[in-house]
Amino acid sequence: MNIPRHVLMLSSSKMGSEDYLQHALPMINQHLPNITELLFIPFAGVSVSWDDYTQKVQNALPDYQVKSIHQFPDAHQALENAQAILVGGGNTFNLLNELYQQDLLDTFKRQVNQGTPYVGWSAGSNICGNSIRTTNDMPIVQPPSFEALNFVPFQLNPHYTDYQPPGHNGETRAQRIQEFCILNPKMPVIGIREGGALLLQGDSLILKGELDGVVFEGGSQRVIQPNQDLREYL
């Protein structure tokens, strides 16, 4: 029997000038019915201590009890006992490197594939894809591999934007992703704008939020709309 996976991949922790996780709270609440405790993974935090990061998330989610995995004596047991798993943003390379260094990837995958609800934003969404090769972050550390959790069999690009600052002559986000697609023509990349999210529920995949998203595949670029059926990418 296949157990449905429940994975909410938020593009960002903030939308515009709103408070931290404010825009995401309705999606999180809907995604986590009857959940009271959240196991938080703070490993993407580099310029903030993991204790402070955990407190910041607790303040933003007062209806839940938030505990960080680093506060438990046995991280594997914490994952196995979690009602739901929450993974914050920051630096994707540091996040994935910690998961490798602490040998947590297999336990992580097993729990979510067995039905433990997952919520991630930014870096926490990046690691849900096939690899982290389309993150926007600098590789400030070198993980043993770029292979990630593979809850969805494609690449993600949270914080996707078409904006190019005046006078900026570097590559746009779309051009960078197209470079990836030239070398990996059979691997789709889904760009999620800030305020949006991808929701995986069993065999269903939809774009949440009010803004469109973009799918890059091979030499093509396709706009996707909120609530559009995206199961063809699973």
Side-chain angles (χ1 to χ4, degrees), residues 9-178:
M9 296 161 274
L10 297 153
S11 175
S12 56
S13 60
K14 296 182 68 174
M15 183 177 180
S17 59
E18 292 182 2
D19 290 338
Y20 190 71
L21 293 176
Q22 180 180 342
H23 82 280
L25 195 53
M27 288 187 278
I28 293 173
N29 289 341
Q30 185 176 19
H31 188 63
L32 302 175
N34 306 315
I35 298 291
T36 58
E37 298 178 3
L38 303 177
L39 179 68
F40 180 54
I41 314 297
F43 299 155
V46 176
S47 58
V48 60
S49 75
W50 292 347
D51 285 335
D52 288 346
Y53 198 174
T54 305
Q55 187 60 52
K56 182 177 183 179
V57 174
Q58 177 67 85
N59 293 343
L61 303 175
D63 293 335
Y64 302 91
Q65 181 181 12
V66 180
K67 287 192 173 183
S68 174
I69 194 169
H70 80 282
Q71 297 169 333
F72 289 83
D74 187 326
H76 291 272
Q77 189 174 56
L79 283 169
E80 291 167 355
N81 294 335
Q83 291 185 17
I85 300 169
L86 196 67
V87 184
N91 186 277
T92 308
F93 293 93
N94 200 59
L95 168 59
L96 188 61
N97 187 58
E98 282 289 336
L99 292 176
Y100 272 109
Q101 296 301 325
Q102 299 191 35
D103 193 27
L104 295 174
L105 281 173
D106 287 344
T107 305
F108 215 127
K109 292 178 186 178
R110 182 173 63 252
Q111 293 309 116
V112 176
N113 288 333
Q114 290 178 351
T116 301
Y118 179 105
V119 178
W121 57 89
S122 191
S125 294
N126 265 315
I127 63 168
C128 292
N130 176 259
S131 78
I132 64 166
R133 290 175 293 164
T134 49
T135 177
N136 305 314
D137 300 332
M138 282 189 175
I140 59 174
V141 293
Q142 184 171 327
S145 170
F146 291 154
E147 292 182 9
L149 296 170
N150 204 41
F151 296 143
V152 289
F154 52 81
Q155 296 285 131
L156 291 102
N157 183 249
H159 301 282
Y160 180 78
T161 179
D162 302 308
Y163 179 71
Q164 185 171 16
H168 177 71
N169 296 309
E171 286 81 356
T172 63
R173 185 71 52 80
Q175 287 171 327
R176 288 299 193 196
I177 295 174
Q178 286 164 352

Side-chain angles (χ1 to χ4, degrees), residues 173-230:
R173 185 71 52 80
Q175 287 171 327
R176 288 299 193 196
I177 295 174
Q178 286 164 352
E179 290 176 338
F180 173 89
C181 291
I182 288 170
L183 298 180
N184 303 271
K186 295 183 179 180
M187 177 61 68
V189 182
I190 298 186
I192 322 168
R193 300 185 191 277
E194 293 193 346
L198 288 175
L199 177 63
L200 174 67
Q201 296 272 43
D203 295 325
S204 168
L205 180 70
I206 62 171
L207 178 67
K208 303 284 287 183
E210 301 177 357
L211 301 177
D212 62 27
V214 183
V215 178
F216 297 84
E217 189 170 11
S220 68
Q221 182 175 333
R222 170 191 173 200
V223 174
I224 53 176
Q225 301 296 332
N227 299 314
Q228 182 174 337
D229 185 347
L230 301 172

